[in-house]
Amino acid sequence: MRVARYPVAKYGSPYLALSAVMTDSTFACHTAWTAQLFAAQVPTYVYEFDDPASPTLAGAQVPGLDESNAHSAELAYLYDFTMGERPLTPVQVALGNRMKRYWAAFARFGAPVVAGQAPWPAAGPGAATVLTLGPVATRPSTSFAAEHGCTFWRTRPPRPL
């Protein structure tokens, strides 16, 4: 059933299809579920980093595969280091600066509210609002769980294909 949900033809290679399975079943959905649990107790802010052209961190590149937008890719945007395969573009630097302002506001005030930037609503216990951080657009989204098939994964814990 999982194979039908993640057909190789849609992703271009078995590796990328499996990467989507692992992203959705492990990272994305568990983050959404955990955020809902936290949101019932404390203000909770969830983000999804989405720059399909992000540089891959040094040492994480698999030969012949594009690993942009992978787990931890946002670190090069938050910290001024050049451990990526290439430097950030001016648009990516601007995204990194927006991200740093959100993080700083959260550290200082307990909420990532920044004048002139997209609002970052707190997640609610019933449905997680996620801030999608992208180089062209940063926007709140309520479709994160649906985009990652979290209803499907709640009833089908990951196990070997």
Side-chain angles (χ1 to χ4, degrees):
M1 187 179 303
R2 285 173 278 184
V3 174
R5 188 171 185 87
Y6 295 88
V8 171
K10 177 181 175 183
Y11 295 94
S13 76
Y15 175 84
L16 294 175
L18 181 58
S19 179
V21 168
M22 295 308 295
T23 295
D24 292 352
S25 68
T26 305
F27 292 110
C29 295
H30 284 273
T31 297
W33 300 329
T34 301
Q36 289 177 0
L37 292 172
F38 285 152
Q41 304 296 317
V42 296
T44 303
Y45 299 90
V46 183
Y47 74 93
E48 179 177 35
F49 178 77
D50 187 21
D51 181 1
S54 66
T56 303
L57 295 179
Q61 183 66 42
V62 175
L65 291 173
D66 180 4
E67 299 247 344
S68 298
N69 215 22
H71 176 67
S72 75
E74 73 273 24
L75 295 178
Y77 295 67
L78 290 169
Y79 303 100
D80 295 324
F81 63 75
T82 55
M83 290 179 57
E85 62 185 343
R86 64 186 182 290
L88 298 178
T89 67
V91 171
Q92 291 169 327
V93 169
L95 170 58
N97 289 337
R98 289 192 308 273
M99 292 167 62
K100 290 173 192 176
R101 286 191 288 273
Y102 282 124
W103 269 243
F106 180 77
R108 184 169 184 196
F109 304 113
V113 177
V114 179
Q117 291 190 189
W120 188 343
T129 298
V130 174
L131 187 70
T132 301
L133 298 159
V136 177
T138 294
R139 59 181 171 65
S141 170
T142 56
S143 61
F144 179 86
E147 289 169 8
H148 291 283
C150 295
T151 299
F152 173 82
W153 287 111
R154 185 176 290 283
T155 60
R156 292 166 188 86
R159 59 181 191 265
L161 297 172

